[in-house]
């Protein structure tokens, strides 16, 4: 196995790194950290670059790339301590693209465009990852409570285990 990045992966890394260094000053990172808010300006910028769709299927506007390319994106944002739900949205998008019905294509399209901010809401009050207390009743209404949801105020959707 060759652990070196391909030429395309190196270009992706360089491009994202330069963009983040140019667009995300540390004082803005500190401000968002202190306020507990997501960096909406950065979110809009990375959505405009098309990077949110890196690992998603081409059929929904994604880049049809792999987890390595998604990891490069996340790593470069983390190097700058960017306050955006990149990991949360990408993992939700990957899960939806692999396991959801075709009805979710509009949601995946929204993820690629940065309009749908889908974050996981998985942990129950009991703090056991495998335990699911949330239930769907006969009318299709979800009942339950989730804890430790990242970016709850910035998210437009929550991916819930029920």
């Amino acid at each position: 196995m060759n652990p070196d990045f391909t030429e395309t992966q190196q270009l992706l890394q360089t491009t994202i790194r330069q963009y983040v260094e140019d667009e995300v000053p540390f004082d803005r990172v500190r401000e968002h950290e202190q306020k507990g808010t997501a960096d909406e300006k950065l979110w809009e910028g990375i959505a405009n670059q098309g990077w949110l769709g890196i690992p998603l299927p081409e059929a929904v506007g994604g880049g049809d790339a792999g987890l390595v390319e998604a990891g490069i994106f996340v790593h470069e944002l983390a190097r700058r301590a960017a306050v955006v739900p990149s990991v949360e949205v990408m993992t939700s998008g990957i899960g939806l693209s692999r396991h959801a019905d075709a009805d979710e294509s509009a949601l995946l399209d929204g993820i690629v465009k940065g309009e749908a901010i889908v974050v996981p809401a998985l942990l129950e009050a009991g703090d056991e990852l495998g335990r699911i207390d949330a239930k769907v009743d006969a009318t299709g209404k979800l009942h339950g409570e989730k804890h430790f949801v990242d970016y709850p105020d910035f998210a437009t959707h929550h991916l819930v285990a029920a």
Side-chain angles (χ1 to χ4, degrees):
M1 176 176 157
N2 182 357
D4 297 333
F5 288 154
T6 65
E7 187 175 328
T8 302
Q9 291 167 338
Q10 289 173 351
L11 179 60
L12 178 67
Q13 181 183 41
T14 302
T15 303
I16 296 170
R17 181 173 292 179
Q18 190 62 57
Y19 179 86
V20 173
E21 286 177 1
D22 292 346
E23 297 296 322
V24 186
F26 284 124
D27 59 336
R28 194 165 93 206
V29 171
R30 282 189 287 279
E31 178 184 336
H32 284 291
E33 278 291 329
Q34 289 170 352
K35 290 181 180 178
T37 58
D39 189 338
E40 292 182 35
K41 182 178 178 185
L42 176 60
W43 189 257
E44 184 179 328
I46 60 179
N48 289 339
Q49 296 293 328
W51 293 330
L52 295 171
I54 287 173
L56 298 180
E58 197 173 342
V60 297
D64 215 18
L67 293 177
V68 171
E69 290 78 9
I72 289 169
F73 171 71
V74 169
H75 180 262
E76 291 308 318
L77 289 175
R79 285 185 78 247
R80 199 67 174 189
V83 187
V84 290
S86 56
V87 171
E88 294 82 357
V89 172
M90 280 194 166
T91 56
S92 295
I94 291 168
L96 286 168
S97 71
R98 292 183 180 177
H99 303 290
D101 297 331
D103 297 344
E104 278 74 21
S105 61
L107 184 58
L108 290 169
D109 180 62
I111 289 172
V112 171
K113 293 177 179 172
E115 298 164 357
I117 303 166
V118 183
V119 300
L122 304 174
L123 195 59
E124 306 290 345
D127 198 21
E128 295 175 46
L129 252 160
R131 182 178 174 173
I132 299 176
D133 294 332
K135 304 287 183 215
V136 179
D137 67 20
T139 65
K141 188 173 182 179
L142 179 66
H143 300 274
E145 186 176 315
K146 298 296 181 176
H147 292 260
F148 307 108
V149 178
D150 290 329
Y151 300 96
D153 297 329
F154 188 61
T156 59
H157 299 76
H158 293 97
L159 184 60
V160 178

